[in-house]
Amino acid sequence: MAKGFSLGRVNHLIREFYAATDFRTCFAFENNQCSGPIKNAHSLQNNRILNVICENGHLYYFKPEVVDSGPTSVIKKIGKNDASTFFGFCDFHDTELFKPIELFDYTGDIQQKFLFAFRALAVEMHKKLRQLENVKRMFAQRPRIMLDPQFVYMYRVAMSDVNDHQIEYELFKQGFQNGDYTGVRTIHRELQYGVKFAACSSFTVRYDINGKVMNDTFSTKNDRMPSIFLNIYPTPQGTTNILISYLNIDSEVYQNYFNSLDALDDQKLTKYLNYLVIENTENVFFTPSYIESLSENERKSFERSYNSSMNVLERASLLAEGNYYKFDLFNLAP
């Protein structure tokens, strides 16, 4: 930390720097129909999802911060209206494109599966474009770091992520414009109780359920890293929908993995997802009473397990202490 800079000042500067990368666009497939301002759209539906998990208009989420020991993420409260938002769709398309999932309960309709998966891609694509811009801005302000292998690696990863998502976006666009929603495979599971969190994200899965490497996520080669698309949310009816999808073009990578997931019973699937969500998902929000009900040990495990996804030493420490993932997001049945 720079001499004379408090942690509060450092965090303020980091937030300002990242805020400057924000941008407005419409990821809809028919841009000639765009109308109205680019909205700060919710990737998790405000009325049908966030309303279910919020309490007194608030939720908890993982907020990146710098602390004495370095960069980390800590659990913080956020207002419902500010949660899970990004400038990714114009007013018209935010309403019209997602009508089948905004206005209607999930029925297993193939178009609904397609739209849930696409929205997960859109929010992640917007974030990856910002991360790439963030690196470019660092290079512009401090050109010398372009000689640093760590920053070069960061730039290559950011470029690869954006390129990979662009390919996926074009596949969704082609399917939508052709009226063909069959290019996405989705596993749907309905739990007969409502969980106290909601997640919407896309990411590449490194290991299958048996620990075998499927994707070398640390590679910067030209090989595309295929995404899965994850949506988990409680319904107003007191159940929970779990949707896990991939593009059929990636069947060679994910078909056997999805077959394995589909064969799991609810208890084994949710035990696995308890890990998968925290390991891979930033766009996840929690009911305040759930977080506040965690024991001190569970809360430490919760925060540290989340941060261990980017910190090998933290993971090793948690494993040595026997405190790795000692919480259960899904253990909420009446």
Side-chain angles (χ1 to χ4, degrees), residues 164-214:
D164 290 348
H165 288 324
Q166 187 62 48
I167 292 170
E168 291 166 346
Y169 176 84
E170 292 299 326
L171 291 168
F172 274 101
K173 181 178 181 178
Q174 180 180 346
F176 181 84
Q177 291 181 335
N178 292 336
D180 180 5
Y181 306 115
T182 61
V184 177
R185 176 187 176 183
T186 298
I187 293 174
H188 170 245
R189 193 72 59 89
E190 183 181 45
L191 306 178
Q192 297 307 306
Y193 60 92
V195 296
K196 301 298 184 182
F197 74 96
C200 172
S201 186
S202 65
F203 49 87
T204 299
V205 181
R206 180 171 173 80
Y207 301 102
D208 67 13
I209 63 174
N210 298 311
K212 181 181 177 182
V213 175
M214 293 187 294

Side-chain angles (χ1 to χ4, degrees), residues 214-270:
M214 293 187 294
N215 297 291
D216 183 4
T217 52
F218 296 106
S219 173
T220 56
K221 296 180 180 178
N222 293 328
D223 297 337
R224 184 172 67 86
M225 292 291 106
S227 297
I228 71 164
F229 312 98
L230 178 69
N231 288 271
I232 302 175
Y233 63 94
T235 71
Q237 292 77 32
T239 61
T240 296
N241 280 324
I242 299 171
L243 292 91
I244 317 169
S245 308
Y246 72 85
L247 288 163
N248 287 336
I249 193 174
D250 296 319
S251 291
E252 185 175 346
V253 177
Y254 284 134
Q255 182 175 6
N256 290 337
Y257 170 63
F258 267 58
N259 289 344
S260 299
L261 292 180
D262 208 15
L264 297 176
D265 61 27
D266 287 353
Q267 183 177 5
K268 290 180 180 178
L269 179 63
T270 55

Side-chain angles (χ1 to χ4, degrees), residues 17 132-148 150-156:
F17 194 84
L132 177 58
E133 179 62 23
N134 200 43
V135 178
K136 289 179 177 179
R137 283 171 54 81
M138 287 191 290
F139 285 169
Q141 292 192 14
R142 298 180 61 193
R144 185 176 298 179
I145 65 174
M146 287 190 285
L147 301 176
D148 186 325
Q150 182 177 351
F151 284 95
V152 172
Y153 174 77
M154 187 185 302
Y155 173 75
R156 288 177 176 171

